[in-house]
Amino acid sequence: MDISYPPETETFRAEVKAFLAGILPPDWKGIGALDEEAARAFAGDWRRRLVERGYLSLTWPERYGGRGLSKLHQVVLMEELALAGVPFGVPQDTFGVKMLANTLLRWGTEEQKSHFLPRILSGEDTWCQGYSEPDAGSDLASLKTRAARDGEDWVIDGQKVWTSGAHHSDWIFVLARTDREASKHRGISFLLVPLDQPGVEVRPFRMMSGQLHFNEVFFDGARTRADLVVGGVDNGWTVAQSLLGVERGEEAATNPILFRAEVERLVELARLHGKDQDPVIRQRIAWCWSKVEIMRCLGYRILTGWLKGAEPGPESSIAKLYWSEYHTEVTDLAMDIMGLHGQVPAGRPPLRTYRADDPGAANSSASWSTTYLIARSGTIYAGTSQIQRNILAEKVLGLPREPRVNAG
């Protein structure tokens, strides 16, 4: 594990700090301190500033609108944005900028990169991810959505589920089976599909937190051009696996910052409710603090491998299992501190629909109780805790594979 930063990245860190100091007001507490409408307005304007500075496309080649800097520069940027309590673009940029753009840079044709990258950067095209299906979530390779060639088009039939932000998106990148005779990890292609067309229906889910974030997406004869396959026909599984590693380094650097800010807010919550001298509450807060420190060290270890170009390994499963299970415990504690106040949500709920509330958020019962509900989903999305434990049991401990009902 190497937690040092070379001089050139520290110079860049000083640049980012100066940029933030020149724009954010002296009394800035974080985007979480704004109400919902003001936060949305801020995020849109903030995205424009990041684009102008070249921060939203920091590691892209200059010919596509980037600055051509390293992954470590990207980590430094994400650290400083998290510490300042400002977002990296808007929520759908997770799929367009972070996921798809990096996938196109590695696997896309020159035509695909030249067309889509500028539109992703400008915000003209917004994207969502079409991976999970009702019977293919953690076992994604069992997907049944299919695409068949029809002249100059692919015709797509099937269903995707838990599709974040589809109701706000223009395009979806879809894993579809293009060779039904191949074994289940083969014969899958990675397709770029427009959502605004006949044959596509998007149905939002209302979550138990009251928010609209996930969707079902139905394809019934939907079409996309034949040249909108990324990485080659029947090579979608390889492309999909590379996409899953995109956020690995950034999350390893920023998760500990966000969760540390949450614990500090938890300490203040205990003071507000007169629980800061309760020995049991104090012990549980100390446990949370120690877990975040362990998360920080684990993050450095993951970050070191990621910067060396290592492919995602078991440590990614450790990190996902660790933070998601931890977050259920810290939000349980918040609810215990608030007592009956937590049963009557008041104030602004969190703007985020995953992980912690934004830095600067008030210690409102609505913030904590909604985050408590969101934390439960963290043990399911991006790979359930059960699947992560299976991966660690088989790949790290060498235990026998869990019996599979369908071997494909």
Side-chain angles (χ1 to χ4, degrees):
M1 183 175 74
D2 183 3
I3 62 174
S4 63
Y5 288 84
E8 62 269 22
T9 52
E10 291 303 332
T11 301
F12 176 68
R13 189 186 299 276
E15 174 196 319
V16 176
K17 285 180 177 289
F19 165 74
L20 294 169
I23 293 180
L24 299 176
D27 59 347
W28 177 255
K29 296 179 180 178
I31 191 172
L34 305 177
D35 63 38
E36 191 170 356
E37 184 177 347
R40 284 205 178 94
F42 175 88
D45 181 67
W46 186 250
R47 187 189 194 281
R48 177 183 58 79
R49 293 176 184 272
L50 293 177
V51 171
E52 291 173 350
R53 192 78 180 188
Y55 287 163
L56 209 64
S57 53
L58 193 69
T59 61
W60 300 11
E62 292 182 15
R63 66 181 180 275
Y64 300 122
R67 289 182 55 173
L69 297 180
S70 70
K71 290 192 290 186
L72 186 53
H73 287 87
Q74 179 76 26
V75 168
V76 168
L77 173 65
M78 299 303 289
E79 285 180 338
E80 292 302 321
L81 294 181
L83 288 168
V86 291
F88 180 76
V90 295
Q92 290 308 105
D93 285 326
T94 296
F95 305 104
V97 175
K98 289 185 179 180
M99 292 185 177
L100 181 62
N102 285 289
T103 301
L104 288 175
L105 286 169
R106 178 172 178 179
W107 295 99
T109 64
E110 185 57 40
E111 291 76 13
Q112 290 169 349
K113 288 184 280 191
S114 298
H115 176 77
F116 285 110
L117 290 176
R119 297 168 69 90
I120 291 171
L121 192 56
S122 69
E124 186 174 355
D125 288 344
T126 53
W127 289 82
C128 59
Q129 180 185 36
Y131 274 23
S132 295
E133 299 183 5
D135 295 318
S138 298
D139 185 15
L140 182 59
S142 296
L143 62 89
K144 294 182 176 61
T145 295
R146 60 190 183 277
R149 187 70 179 266
D150 180 25
E152 296 302 311
D153 289 342
W154 290 100
V155 179
I156 305 160
D157 293 282
Q159 178 187 359
K160 297 295 179 179
V161 73
W162 311 124
T163 311
S164 302
H167 54 313
H168 298 310
S169 301
D170 307 306
W171 288 77
I172 182 171
F173 49 91
V174 174
L175 289 183
R177 194 163 296 286
T178 45
D179 183 352
R180 300 171 72 177
E181 302 301 320
S183 61
K184 72 177 190 177
H185 288 86
R186 301 182 184 275
I188 295 171
S189 296
F190 188 106
L191 304 172
L192 309 180
V193 182
L195 285 171
D196 186 12
Q197 61 164 303
V200 176
E201 181 183 0
V202 177
R203 298 181 190 171
F205 287 115
R206 187 169 296 279
M207 301 185 294
M208 65 179 178
S209 64
Q211 298 164 308
L212 290 174
H213 181 61
F214 298 120
N215 302 267
E216 293 179 288
V217 181
F218 296 88
F219 302 98
D220 183 9
R223 289 179 173 265
T224 195
R225 296 200 319 267
D227 61 338
L228 295 185
V229 177
V230 178
V233 176
D234 297 338
N235 192 44
W237 186 255
T238 302
V239 177
Q241 290 300 105
S242 70
L243 183 147
L244 294 175
V246 166
E247 290 187 288
R248 178 181 169 199
E250 294 175 6
E251 287 189 0
T254 58
N255 270 352
I257 295 172
L258 294 174
F259 287 129
R260 167 67 73 83
E262 185 179 60
V263 171
E264 291 172 350
R265 200 157 59 92
L266 185 70
V267 173
E268 182 59 28
L269 183 73
R271 292 194 181 105
L272 288 172
H273 288 270
K275 301 288 185 67
D276 54 314
Q277 298 304 313
D278 183 309
V280 175
I281 296 296
R282 290 168 65 90
Q283 183 178 22
R284 292 173 68 186
I285 290 175
W287 180 89
C288 293
W289 190 278
S290 69
K291 289 294 183 180
V292 172
E293 283 299 293
I294 294 170
M295 191 188 306
R296 182 172 65 89
C297 294
L298 176 60
Y300 281 131
R301 179 179 179 182
I302 293 172
L303 183 59
T304 299
W306 182 73
L307 293 172
K308 291 178 179 178
E311 291 297 320
E315 65 274 12
S316 295
S317 293
I318 294 172
K320 169 59 172 61
L321 180 63
Y322 187 95
W323 73 253
S324 61
E325 294 289 335
Y326 156 79
H327 203 218
T328 64
E329 296 290 335
V330 72
T331 53
D332 277 347
L333 175 54
M335 296 299 288
D336 288 346
I337 289 172
M338 292 188 295
L340 291 177
H341 294 283
Q343 307 304 311
V344 187
R348 181 188 66 75
L351 302 176
R352 288 171 175 255
T353 50
Y354 60 97
R355 295 188 178 87
D357 200 348
D358 287 295
N363 262 322
S364 69
S365 55
S367 171
W368 281 108
S369 63
T370 308
T371 302
Y372 165 82
L373 297 176
I374 290 170
R376 271 68 202 154
S377 68
T379 63
I380 300 172
Y381 66 70
T384 67
S385 292
Q386 289 82 357
I387 291 296
Q388 305 304 333
R389 290 187 177 100
N390 281 351
I391 291 171
L392 296 174
E394 294 168 11
K395 293 189 175 181
V396 177
L397 301 179
L399 297 178
R401 289 176 62 87
E402 183 181 41
R404 302 297 200 263
V405 175
N406 175 14

